[in-house]
Amino acid sequence: MRADRYIIGAGMTGLSAGIRTGYPVFEAASSPGGICASYYLAPGDSVRRPHPPADGEAYRFEYGGGHWIFGGDPAVLGLIERFAPLRRYGRRSSVFLPEAGVFAPYPLQYHLNALPDAMARAALSELDAPAEDREPATMAEWVQRFGPTLNRVFFSPFQEAYTAGLWTRIAPQDNYKTPIERDLVRLGAAGQAPASGYNAEFVYPVDGLDRLAGGMAAACDVRFGERLAGVDLRTRTLRFAGGAERRFEQVWATVPLDQMVAMAGLDLGMPADPYTSVLVLNLGARRGPRMPDDHWVYIPRSRSGFHRVGFYDRVDAHFLPASVRAAGTHASLYVERAFLPGARPDADAVAAYTKSVVDELTGWGFIGEVDVADATWIEVAYTWQWPGSTWRAAALKALAEAGVHMIGRYARWHFQGIAASIREGMDLVR
């Protein structure tokens, strides 16, 4: 093993890279997994615990909301199952239109039969119209292909919330998340659309992501409490917050790309591409009379500003306290709201937002009495690009030329799931 080769970050990519190479993995936190980690919170307790209590009387949550594993090839799934047994699921998700009180299966464009008749007929005629032969420059232009009706009731307000208002200025990306095949549109209008989309099937560790992350960390050399503070590209030196310095020949880093550019003092002569942050509100509560039977639900409009609600316990009952797992009376859920950089709410704002969310979900009949409420903050949650930007490519190239190789979702500034992140670490060549 080379002593001058290191990995930064013990998230899923860093852990799989550590297993593959044997290189030391430096992690700022005291536990592995990054945002892909579970934690436990008992009713009446505000302390997040990395492991369940002995009596099992706690809700299991995740720092970044529900992280379900989709698209893994056999090698990736085999690696995961070395450390944590998996269960397999067929996705259940929907779009909720609060004004109409309507749930429509996701993807909405393939389930027009769930909409009111007049709305469905208008949407179908618009989706059947010839598409413009023009490359859209922004996401706002890209979603116009779904037609005025679906844009009004779902796509436009959802993208406004999901991107914290950036959708009119950022380039289209991750288009596979929102497919449109006109044959499936017509089948869906008749109630015959098959399950579709990139995450129609997924897996999840039986004992939670903490079991997976802990097992992977035990199989490699992780140095916890080591926060990277700076990088000198000229001398190839890593500087850590505690004052330690390490010279390197090569380093593989999973920290967000914009943060690495800043730590390395790179001036690329252009603005960095944007990102959005997410406040994840985790709730343990009694089920309401209209709680959907879904893994997650997309929300185009809400008074509180959130855009998605996910239901952990619909995936696994162990997200609930042991005493209520079989009762069908309680739920463990998460609520996501996007923010622009620099707009992180303070404690008072989070408390007000929590009350607003609880009131709104109660009003919809999703939940009843709340046992626990806990908010987590993901600073870089979704990454975007300005139209025509070359910032990402320039940053990756400049860092790689100095021996700093960016790996993983945020380091490479593009969307990928857990399975793809693990695959990226597995593919490293020593």
Side-chain angles (χ1 to χ4, degrees):
M1 183 180 70
R2 297 288 298 274
D4 53 359
R5 298 189 175 197
Y6 306 108
I7 295 163
I8 306 297
M12 291 301 169
T13 308
L15 290 172
S16 60
I19 293 169
R20 170 71 179 86
T21 64
Y23 300 149
V25 181
F26 295 101
E27 167 57 44
S30 59
S31 58
I35 66 171
C36 296
S38 307
Y39 70 96
Y40 298 81
L41 199 61
D45 190 357
S46 61
V47 178
R48 298 173 184 165
R49 302 185 185 279
H51 306 292
D55 61 3
E57 289 304 308
Y59 287 90
R60 181 205 294 172
F61 299 127
E62 290 178 359
Y63 284 96
H67 284 95
W68 320 126
I69 304 171
F70 56 85
D73 62 39
V76 170
L77 297 181
L79 175 68
I80 292 173
E81 291 198 286
R82 280 176 51 191
F83 306 106
L86 294 172
R87 287 200 181 102
R88 287 159 174 79
Y89 304 85
R91 181 199 66 215
R92 299 193 309 272
S93 65
S94 63
V95 170
F96 178 54
L97 307 178
E99 301 94 332
V102 169
F103 288 93
Y106 171 86
L108 177 61
Q109 62 273 21
Y110 295 162
H111 296 92
L112 299 182
N113 64 307
L115 299 176
D117 287 346
M119 185 183 295
R121 287 195 300 271
L124 180 59
S125 67
E126 292 159 5
L127 284 166
D128 269 338
E132 284 190 42
D133 187 19
R134 182 175 66 88
E135 191 70 24
T138 66
M139 190 171 294
E141 293 178 4
W142 182 80
V143 299
Q144 295 309 310
R145 67 187 188 142
F146 295 102
T149 299
L150 291 186
N151 266 284
R152 173 175 53 82
V153 300
F154 177 67
F155 287 102
S156 291
F158 179 79
Q159 293 295 344
E160 173 71 19
Y162 175 51
T163 68
L166 284 178
W167 70 303
T168 61
R169 295 185 285 145
I170 54 176
Q173 65 188 61
D174 307 330
N175 295 347
Y176 63 89
K177 290 184 178 180
T178 314
I180 181 168
E181 297 180 29
R182 282 168 172 75
D183 288 344
L184 290 182
V185 170
R186 297 183 191 99
L187 283 173
Q192 301 171 354
S196 60
Y198 71 101
N199 55 9
E201 296 181 347
F202 64 90
V203 299
Y204 187 76
V206 171
D207 296 316
L209 284 174
D210 52 322
R211 170 75 175 271
L212 173 60
M216 293 176 71
C220 55
D221 179 12
V222 183
R223 319 278 179 88
F224 293 108
E226 295 275 7
R227 180 179 298 279
L228 185 66
V231 181
D232 188 322
L233 298 180
R234 184 182 60 83
T235 63
R236 295 200 175 194
T237 302
L238 302 175
R239 295 193 300 273
F240 291 86
E245 294 188 351
R246 291 179 175 86
R247 298 287 296 273
F248 67 90
E249 179 183 334
Q250 305 288 331
V251 65
W252 290 264
T254 67
V255 297
L257 184 57
D258 65 326
Q259 295 177 18
M260 181 60 79
V261 167
M263 283 191 287
L266 280 176
D267 181 3
L268 299 173
M270 65 186 84
D273 284 331
Y275 67 87
T276 45
S277 304
V278 168
L279 183 69
V280 177
L281 179 61
N282 286 316
L283 297 171
R286 285 190 168 270
R287 291 186 183 180
R290 294 200 70 212
M291 175 171 282
D293 184 26
D294 286 295
H295 298 122
W296 63 88
V297 177
Y298 299 100
I299 312 288
R301 293 181 178 87
S302 68
R303 291 194 317 271
S304 308
F306 56 85
H307 61 270
R308 178 161 53 184
V309 179
F311 303 92
Y312 294 117
D313 64 286
R314 298 298 198 195
V315 173
D316 195 309
H318 285 81
F319 280 99
L320 296 172
S323 61
V324 297
R325 286 173 191 162
T329 55
H330 289 70
S332 178
L333 60 151
Y334 62 95
V335 182
E336 298 179 36
R337 179 180 172 182
F339 289 82
L340 292 174
R344 180 173 183 171
D346 61 19
D348 289 341
V350 170
Y353 170 70
T354 299
K355 182 181 185 306
S356 176
V357 169
V358 169
D359 289 347
E360 193 160 8
L361 294 181
T362 302
W364 291 350
F366 280 23
I367 62 172
E369 183 181 359
V370 172
D371 290 334
V372 294
D374 185 61
T376 65
W377 179 259
I378 310 302
E379 177 62 28
V380 180
Y382 291 96
T383 57
W384 314 100
Q385 289 183 285
W386 301 122
S389 172
T390 60
W391 173 82
R392 172 180 174 271
L396 293 173
K397 181 175 184 291
L399 289 166
E401 288 174 346
V404 178
H405 309 285
M406 305 302 289
I407 57 172
R409 172 177 175 175
Y410 298 111
R412 296 188 62 79
W413 212 258
H414 67 169
F415 176 80
Q416 63 186 32
I418 293 174
S421 296
I422 291 174
R423 174 87 259 180
E424 192 170 348
M426 291 172 65
D427 287 343
L428 287 191
V429 177
R430 285 183 283 185

